[in-house]
């Protein structure tokens, strides 16, 4: 992996095209979705379930469990093992048509047939516009590193309109120790926690919960989970 630390972040002119090209070369299976680190699957799903379960117990939050959106869904690993276990219906957003085809035809075939998985949107998050008021939870995992800072803030603002009453946006991403770490191989950027939270504020989002992923192998980036709600307007 070719990466370098930066105090600032300037995307290349072919930032999104390069990422799309990279992912078109990745196999449509769980190992491909996890970059060859299939051993993180179990702890990842366990902590995501626990995070949402704890949010549901928070008396200050009131989101329902009718409809979730899996952003950067890949073949639907998070949907299959986590979101469909806690939500009645789930939509997937994924720009790689190969991954969505694998989801529809095999990996999520049963979930599609049962009606648990509804729509699959073949679009990048920089272009995705959620239906107004549809989702109780919009879950974004290991995908926001592919958005520029400007597009990330704009995406979060659009997601605000896509939330049902009391709805939340959950972000689960690798975090750098400081600043930005660019990866030229897959055209992504790992941001420090403080950078993420600055962008959240710019998008008029408030952090209502935060948790660090546990039990991942040594040598990997720390992974943070945030729950966000639109900031109260004065």
């Amino acid at each position: 992996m070719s990466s370098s630390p930066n105090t600032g972040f300037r995307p290349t002119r072919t930032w999104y095209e390069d990422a799309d090209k990279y992912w078109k070369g990745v196999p449509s299976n769980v190992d491909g979705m996890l970059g060859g680190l299939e051993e993180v699957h179990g702890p990842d799903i366990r902590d995501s379930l626990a995070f949402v379960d704890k949010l549901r117990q928070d008396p200050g939050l009131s989101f329902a469990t009718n409809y979730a959106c899996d952003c950067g869904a890949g073949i639907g690993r998070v949907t299959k093992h986590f979101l469909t276990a806690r939500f009645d219906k789930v939509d997937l957003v994924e720009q790689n048509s190969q991954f969505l085809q694998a989801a529809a035809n095999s990996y999520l075939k049963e979930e599609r047939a049962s009606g648990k998985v509804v729509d699959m949107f073949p679009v990048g998050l920089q272009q995705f516009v959620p239906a107004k008021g549809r989702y109780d939870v919009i879950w974004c995992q290991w995908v926001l590193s592919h958005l520029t800072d400007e597009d990330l803030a704009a995406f979060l603002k659009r997601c605000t309109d896509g939330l049902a009453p009391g709805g939340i946006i959950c972000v689960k991403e690798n975090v750098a120790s400081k600043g930005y770490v660019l990866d030229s191989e897959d055209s992504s950027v790992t941001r420090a926690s403080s950078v993420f939270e600055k962008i959240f504020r710019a998008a008029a989002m408030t952090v209502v919960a935060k948790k660090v992923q546990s039990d991942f192998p040594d040598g990997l980036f720390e992974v943070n989970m945030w729950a966000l709600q639109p900031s109260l307007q004065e």
Side-chain angles (χ1 to χ4, degrees), residues 5-6 8 16 25 34 75 85 89 96 102 118 126 137 146 148 154 160-161 174 182 194-195 206 211 218:
N6 281 268
Y16 292 117
L34 294 173
I75 63 170
K89 296 181 291 185
N96 188 311
V118 185
Q126 69 275 16
V137 169
H146 289 297
T148 66
T160 296
D161 292 334
N174 294 347
L182 299 181
S194 59
V195 174
T206 296
K211 179 72 174 176
D218 292 340

Side-chain angles (χ1 to χ4, degrees), residues 89-153:
K89 296 181 291 185
V90 183
D91 287 346
L92 280 68
V93 183
E94 170 55 56
Q95 73 172 7
N96 188 311
S97 59
Q98 297 172 172
F99 295 162
L100 287 184
Q101 185 175 18
N105 295 340
S106 57
Y107 196 71
L108 294 178
K109 188 174 182 179
E110 291 183 6
E111 290 81 1
R112 287 274 283 176
S114 70
K116 292 281 284 186
V117 170
V118 185
D119 291 323
M120 296 184 175
F121 300 105
V123 63
L125 297 188
Q126 69 275 16
Q127 298 173 321
F128 177 60
V129 180
K132 187 173 180 64
R134 175 176 288 187
Y135 301 114
D136 301 301
V137 169
I138 297 176
W139 186 270
C140 310
Q141 179 168 347
W142 288 329
V143 63
L144 302 184
S145 60
H146 289 297
L147 294 182
T148 66
D149 287 353
E150 181 179 4
D151 284 345
L152 174 51

Side-chain angles (χ1 to χ4, degrees), residues 101-231:
Q101 185 175 18
N105 295 340
S106 57
Y107 196 71
L108 294 178
K109 188 174 182 179
E110 291 183 6
E111 290 81 1
R112 287 274 283 176
S114 70
K116 292 281 284 186
V117 170
V118 185
D119 291 323
M120 296 184 175
F121 300 105
V123 63
L125 297 188
Q126 69 275 16
Q127 298 173 321
F128 177 60
V129 180
K132 187 173 180 64
R134 175 176 288 187
Y135 301 114
D136 301 301
V137 169
I138 297 176
W139 186 270
C140 310
Q141 179 168 347
W142 288 329
V143 63
L144 302 184
S145 60
H146 289 297
L147 294 182
T148 66
D149 287 353
E150 181 179 4
D151 284 345
L152 174 51
F155 165 71
L156 293 172
K157 290 177 181 178
R158 294 195 301 275
C159 285
T160 296
D161 292 334
L163 292 176
I168 60 174
I169 300 168
C170 290
V171 170
K172 187 169 187 177
E173 292 288 341
N174 294 347
V175 295
S177 58
K178 62 179 180 179
Y180 300 82
V181 177
L182 299 181
D183 190 326
S184 59
E185 182 181 5
D186 65 358
S187 193
S188 69
V189 58
T190 301
R191 298 172 171 94
S193 179
S194 59
V195 174
F196 268 115
E197 290 168 12
K198 181 178 179 180
I199 295 171
F200 298 158
R201 291 191 296 272
M205 305 300 296
T206 296
V207 176
V208 296
K210 183 179 179 181
K211 179 72 174 176
V212 177
Q213 169 71 43
S214 63
D215 297 331
F216 271 13
D218 292 340
L220 301 180
F221 283 113
E222 181 180 286
V223 174
N224 284 183
M225 291 177 279
W226 292 270
L228 312 173
Q229 282 194 319
S231 301

Side-chain angles (χ1 to χ4, degrees), residues 45-57 63-68 78-90 116 136-137 139:
I45 297 299
R46 179 202 66 208
D47 279 17
S48 294
L49 287 165
F51 186 64
V52 165
D53 288 347
K54 188 172 182 180
L55 292 173
R56 288 285 295 159
Q57 296 168 6
F63 65 94
T65 56
N66 299 317
Y67 217 143
V78 168
T79 287
K80 185 178 187 71
H81 296 282
F82 161 40
L83 293 175
T84 54
R86 292 295 185 269
F87 297 89
D88 297 334
K89 296 181 291 185
V90 183
K116 292 281 284 186
D136 301 301
V137 169
W139 186 270

